[in-house]
Amino acid sequence: MQIKETANEGLKRAYAITIPAKDIDARIDSEIKKIAPQVKMPGFRPGKVPANLVRKMHGDQLHADAVNSMIRESVDKTMQDNKLKPAMQPKVEVGEGYEQGKDATLTIELEVLPEVEAPATDDLKIERLTVPVTDEEVMEAIGKLAENNKNYKDAAKTKKAADGDQLIIDFVGRVDGEEFEGGKAEDAALVLGSGMFIPGFEDQLVGVKTGDEKTIEVTFPEDYQATHLAGKKAEFDVTVKQVKVEGETSIDDDFAKNFGLDGLDKLKELLRGQLEQETAGLTRTQMKRSLLDQLAAGHDFAVPQGMVDAEFDQIWAQLQQEAARSEDPEATLKEMEDEKEEYRDIAERRVRLGLLLSEIGQANNVQVTSQEMSMLIQQAAQQYRPQDRERFMQYIQQEPMAAAQLRAPLYEDKVVDFLFDKAEITDREVTREELEAAIEAEEGEAEAKPAKKKAPAKKKAPAKKEAADKSDDAKAEKKPAAKKAPAKKAAAKKSDDKVEDKKPAAKKAPAKKAPAKKAADKK
């Protein structure tokens, strides 16, 4: 095997490799000797099939396997001999016109990670903005909880349903005279005006009374995610079993007991804890951005353009999704194009910060334990259907790059926590509005720095990502046939195949949910 360096400029490297035909043939002969004892052929005893017949039977496959394995070995040897640390997967190409019996030539092109010195961590100074949770905010949260969990009481049978009233209905939907999956339900609760069902469904039920039967006609939206229904006209036979009107909601111990709590004081305690966790998360975001700004200010080294391209592609894809949901997608996309170079500068800053944090972590022995990694994999697997979880876990275990992407956010957080412990931190009490304004100001300044100007406020880049971002294969969801599709969820973690969540056909998730139990103390 001959290895020759053909390019060495900045972080770019390239190599030409020749694998002699005799070496490939020797590898095939070696494989034939291994498999010959297991080969069966009519007229020969097991294990006695001549090598030339084995080659004739399996030669093409053996040749392909030999060449592929020798290519992998040559790439590994190139990396080891030249002490290379690839920034991303090397690009490997086999020379044009290769065929059996000839030397195999290939080229390797890659970018290497830059040499980065771990920055000093003893002079970091961070201001921590804290927000106390007031009694008024707790009561406001309880008020919102009561608003989202209204109780309804039976109305008189002569009562005509109006917006805000609740109907208990049975319905059967048909398209072209045929019932369809998800178009049927019994005792479905529907609040008129809630927008829970597809456009036109609720409007036609205004004015109905208990016991009424009505056939309504609607058209599914063109972008309806159940594609076999998108844009189609449908008829629903609806039976109104009860019209209900909103009852009074008293915020007292009985209200709290509806959520399985002992009383109102316990509900206040839980909601206060949730609000404190929420503001603590904002405080951490503010501190992290301040920390990253200090690191970025003192370091300006070359970064692999392949990593920048990958980061930029993720930013751009997210911005395109946001633009598609804006009031004027075309104008938003035009504005994005005008600022494209600024977003690329942001991508470069993120990559540089990721490399800095990685170097700090290695220099200070920051590690993600096997137990923490196992918990990460199990948590990530929970977003998939039960039958797909085992396959996802196997994929993570077999693909080092996928495991690294899953590990990266936790590793970065541990490095950030390490730096927080090293930093001189001063506290200042502010309002929530002041904290949010400080975060937005830091975000704007951080994004403006690479381009030497501040990006327009309404077109900020997405919030800063972790050092090595997760892949953006979105989890597809099959939407119910008889209701409006809910807002899209955040992108799910990577899986080889997209995973679909099959939801109930006609109902939303139950409206009444108890507030989450108070979590253990978080940073």
Side-chain angles (χ1 to χ4, degrees):
M1 183 187 303
Q2 299 175 350
I3 302 174
K4 179 182 178 182
E5 186 178 72
T6 57
N8 187 333
E9 182 179 353
L11 301 176
K12 293 183 178 180
R13 304 287 186 273
Y15 299 86
I17 299 176
T18 301
I19 305 174
K22 61 181 180 62
D23 291 349
I24 298 173
D25 204 50
R27 177 67 62 88
I28 294 173
D29 287 341
S30 174
E31 290 301 312
I32 289 174
K33 290 178 181 179
K34 289 180 182 178
I35 69 169
Q38 287 82 43
V39 174
K40 295 180 180 180
M41 184 180 290
F44 295 93
R45 287 180 295 164
K48 298 299 183 180
V49 180
N52 64 322
L53 291 181
V54 175
R55 181 185 284 268
K56 186 175 182 179
M57 289 175 60
H58 303 286
D60 289 344
Q61 185 60 51
L62 289 170
H63 176 264
D65 291 345
V67 170
N68 286 334
S69 64
M70 295 182 79
I71 287 175
R72 287 194 298 270
E73 291 167 8
S74 65
V75 172
D76 291 343
K77 180 174 173 57
T78 303
M79 300 297 122
Q80 293 170 6
D81 290 353
N82 293 279
K83 296 181 174 57
L84 300 176
K85 295 180 180 179
M88 300 183 72
Q89 192 71 23
K91 179 182 177 182
V92 181
E93 291 185 348
V94 178
E96 209 172 314
Y98 171 71
E99 60 186 40
Q100 291 190 39
K102 292 184 177 180
D103 293 348
T105 60
L106 57 140
T107 58
I108 302 175
E109 297 179 358
L110 71 153
E111 286 183 291
V112 296
L113 292 172
E115 293 292 333
V116 181
E117 289 188 16
T121 59
D122 296 329
D123 56 352
L124 296 172
K125 295 182 179 180
I126 301 173
E127 183 179 50
R128 177 166 53 202
L129 305 183
T130 61
V131 180
V133 175
T134 65
D135 293 340
E136 290 76 12
E137 289 172 323
V138 173
M139 290 308 299
E140 182 181 347
I142 292 177
K144 290 179 180 177
L145 191 62
E147 179 69 20
N148 293 331
N149 292 277
K150 296 176 181 177
N151 66 77
Y152 294 86
K153 59 183 180 181
D154 293 349
K157 291 186 178 181
T158 56
K159 157 72 174 168
K160 292 184 177 181
D163 276 355
D165 292 341
Q166 184 187 67
L167 303 182
I168 304 301
I169 59 175
D170 294 345
F171 62 82
V172 178
R174 296 180 178 84
V175 171
D176 297 329
E178 298 291 332
E179 292 186 22
F180 57 89
E181 183 182 358
K184 183 176 182 179
E186 294 182 356
D187 295 326
L190 169 63
V191 176
L192 296 183
S194 66
M196 181 178 175
F197 280 33
I198 60 177
F201 191 101
E202 296 171 25
D203 296 342
Q204 296 178 59
L205 293 175
V206 172
V208 298
K209 301 187 295 294
T210 297
D212 283 355
E213 294 182 358
K214 186 170 185 177
T215 298
I216 61 178
E217 296 181 356
V218 292
T219 301
F220 284 96
E222 293 291 342
D223 60 351
Y224 198 68
Q225 281 199 291
T227 53
H228 65 291
L229 297 174
K232 291 192 175 182
K233 292 183 178 180
E235 285 187 349
F236 285 87
D237 294 332
V238 181
T239 299
V240 182
K241 301 176 80 171
Q242 184 65 56
V243 175
K244 292 175 173 279
V245 293
E246 183 181 340
E248 291 185 8
T249 300
S250 299
I251 297 177
D252 52 20
D253 287 341
D254 288 337
F255 174 73
K257 288 175 182 177
N258 288 332
F259 301 103
L261 302 175
D262 294 336
L264 186 58
D265 288 343
K266 187 63 177 177
L267 178 58
K268 290 179 179 179
E269 179 185 336
L270 285 176
L271 289 177
R272 183 181 294 276
Q274 290 180 2
L275 291 170
E276 288 173 347
Q277 288 181 19
E278 187 178 332
T279 56
L282 291 174
T283 294
R284 180 181 172 85
T285 297
Q286 168 261 322
M287 292 174 65
K288 183 175 178 180
R289 289 190 178 166
S290 176
L291 170 68
L292 295 180
D293 282 349
Q294 291 184 56
L295 292 176
H299 298 85
D300 185 18
F301 51 84
V303 294
Q305 288 307 299
M307 294 179 73
V308 175
D309 291 342
E311 181 68 23
F312 172 78
D313 288 345
Q314 291 194 16
I315 293 174
W316 200 248
Q318 185 172 345
L319 288 171
Q320 286 177 319
Q321 291 175 3
E322 293 173 359
R325 296 192 294 267
S326 67
E327 293 181 3
D328 189 345
E330 188 174 338
T332 305
L333 287 170
K334 173 64 169 62
E335 186 175 354
M336 283 168 49
E337 287 291 341
D338 292 342
E339 299 165 358
K340 199 166 188 176
E341 286 306 310
E342 294 181 26
Y343 289 121
R344 187 168 184 84
D345 290 337
I346 294 166
E348 183 172 321
R349 168 188 159 95
R350 292 183 183 179
V351 170
R352 186 172 290 110
L353 284 168
L355 294 173
L356 275 171
L357 290 174
S358 178
E359 191 61 35
I360 293 170
Q362 292 179 41
N364 294 279
N365 199 32
V366 176
Q367 296 181 356
V368 173
T369 66
S370 57
Q371 183 179 6
E372 289 171 332
M373 192 65 197
S374 177
M375 290 179 63
L376 277 178
I377 295 173
Q378 291 176 20
Q379 290 169 0
Q382 293 306 308
Q383 68 184 306
Y384 300 117
R385 296 177 300 184
Q387 60 266 39
D388 293 316
R389 290 171 188 168
E390 184 63 30
R391 184 175 60 172
F392 169 78
M393 295 176 74
Q394 290 175 355
Y395 168 74
I396 293 294
Q397 291 166 358
Q398 294 167 3
E399 294 291 337
M401 289 296 292
Q405 288 178 340
L406 188 61
R407 167 185 175 275
L410 176 59
Y411 183 77
E412 179 182 303
D413 277 344
K414 295 188 79 167
V415 175
V416 168
D417 286 337
F418 166 80
L419 292 174
F420 284 165
D421 289 340
K422 288 286 213 175
E424 179 184 330
I425 296 176
T426 56
D427 290 308
R428 178 160 65 92
E429 193 173 289
V430 296
T431 65
R432 183 186 176 105
E433 290 73 19
E434 289 171 331
L435 175 56
E436 290 174 345
I439 291 173
E440 287 200 17
E442 287 172 355
E443 181 180 281
E445 289 170 7
E447 292 175 359
K449 284 174 185 175
K452 305 303 181 187
K453 65 177 182 177
K454 189 168 184 176
K458 65 177 178 179
K459 281 288 126 193
K460 287 174 186 167
K464 288 180 172 57
K465 298 181 183 177
E466 309 300 344
D469 282 296
K470 302 177 184 64
S471 189
D472 277 341
D473 287 342
K475 180 166 71 175
E477 291 184 276
K478 280 198 172 180
K479 298 298 184 265
K483 67 175 183 179
K484 185 186 287 186
K488 290 183 179 178
K489 296 182 180 180
K493 297 179 181 62
K494 180 169 182 174
S495 172
D496 271 352
D497 304 311
K498 290 183 180 180
V499 181
E500 294 181 346
D501 269 337
K502 293 187 177 180
K503 299 293 174 65
K507 296 182 181 179
K508 279 187 175 178
K512 185 178 290 187
K513 292 183 180 178
K517 295 285 184 183
K518 191 171 183 180
D521 290 341
K522 290 185 178 181
K523 287 194 176 183

